[in-house]
Amino acid sequence: MSQATRILLALVAGIALGILGVAIHRDWALAVTTVTQPIGEAWLHALQMVIVPLIVGLLVTGIAATAEAARAGRIAGRAVALFVVVLWGTTLMSAAVMPLLLDAWPLPDAWSQALRAALTAAPVMGKVPTLADFFNTIVPTNVVAAASGDAFLPLTVFTLAFAFAITRLEAESRKRLTDLFQSITDAMLVIIGWVLKLAPIGIFALAYGVGARTGAAAFGALVHYIVLVSTIGFIVLLAGYAVARVFGGVPIRAFAKAVAPAQGIAISTQSSLASLPAMLKGSEAIGVAPATAGIVLPVAVAIFRATSPAMNLAVALYVAHWLGVPIGPGQLAAGVATAAITTMGSVSLPGTISFFASVAPVAFAMGVPIEALGLLVAVETVPDLFRTVGNVTMDVAVTSVVGRDKRPDQKPSPRA
């Protein structure tokens, strides 16, 4: 049995046992939560303790990898620039569309109130900024204070500046520092691996309390979450077809036929890396020169995740809606910036790890409690399908744009 299956079963069993316990003896079942809730919160705290060093390490190594890719040549540099545009574009799309989806199909008030009561025992983490606070605090005056106060946006800004400064050092110094942060990242991943082995226990403990306090509303809310967050991933997937058609000059039908095998592998494996050979073949089928695709697609798979910032922001916005946390312009700006900037910090990680490493900083930046993430990670399998398929589709689409003027069938532009 896979770890994802064990986590999902722990979630279902915890909620079901909580509901059953209340049906048999309400007072006794609720009394049990005084034991299960601290266990679940301790597990969440164990994940939370590694987020700051993990994000810093991943950003430094991610920027280093991006800089190396950009230095590899004009094609790689153009691909990096296009992917950055895609990442910010999809994040802004999510900021606009997710609130509209929540307004069009809101979580029922009774469910929302019950879940709020079950999941807000801990205080709201981080400072909820106004728009003025956003601009006033985006550059930290004390990076240590920013890290200790879970102020992820200013911490991220400092880390980006530090990472880009490293790229300007001599090769030997650059390698030493990059290797150091890679080692820090690897150590944090080992710790997270240990913590995630206890995930079925932690999630069961959290889910029991939610089931006991909310009843069947918990199941309904999880289905609601899966549909709405997956919708954002589906929009990014569809945008890949539009990018290929409008900017890559590839007919929709031809692009769909070329990318379908890679999408099939992505669905079955939930891995962009496993889909790389099929993406290379699909890019060749739409006329991209193999040499161009051979540069762009490995960079895309290794460094970028087109759906990540949009879906990470969508998760944070959903949790805010779930728990009744108001999101104003300042909070939304902080969420957009954090989601787009930290995306390169989630590369090449297992889905469970990248979920916490990517979503938690966005939630912190927006002042949204992270308690619900312990439950949502258990149902991440379905949204993760849309993440992977969307990533694969957009990777091939961007490759078609980069390789547009390299296609054998591309007619030369008439001379003036």
Side-chain angles (χ1 to χ4, degrees), residues 115-204:
L115 290 163
R116 199 174 307 158
L119 289 172
T120 54
V124 174
M125 303 298 294
K127 183 179 184 294
V128 180
T130 63
L131 190 58
D133 289 333
F134 168 76
F135 289 107
N136 189 43
T137 62
I138 189 171
V139 178
T141 57
N142 185 330
V143 68
V144 176
S148 63
D150 290 326
F152 272 92
L153 183 55
L155 175 64
T156 298
V157 169
F158 169 80
T159 304
L160 280 176
F162 180 67
F164 279 113
I166 290 176
T167 66
R168 303 299 298 272
L169 299 177
E170 295 180 359
E172 186 177 349
S173 297
R174 185 170 66 243
K175 185 177 186 303
R176 279 201 303 267
L177 280 172
T178 303
D179 288 347
L180 170 63
F181 281 95
Q182 183 62 61
S183 298
I184 292 172
T185 299
D186 292 343
M188 294 302 104
L189 292 177
V190 170
I191 294 174
I192 285 186
W194 292 340
V195 176
L196 289 179
K197 287 184 182 298
L198 301 176
I201 298 173
I203 289 175
F204 175 84

Side-chain angles (χ1 to χ4, degrees), residues 48-73:
Q48 183 181 336
M49 72 179 179
V50 300
I51 289 176
V52 168
L54 179 63
I55 286 296
V56 171
L58 286 170
L59 276 174
V60 170
T61 54
I63 293 298
T66 303
E68 288 297 326
R71 282 193 290 263

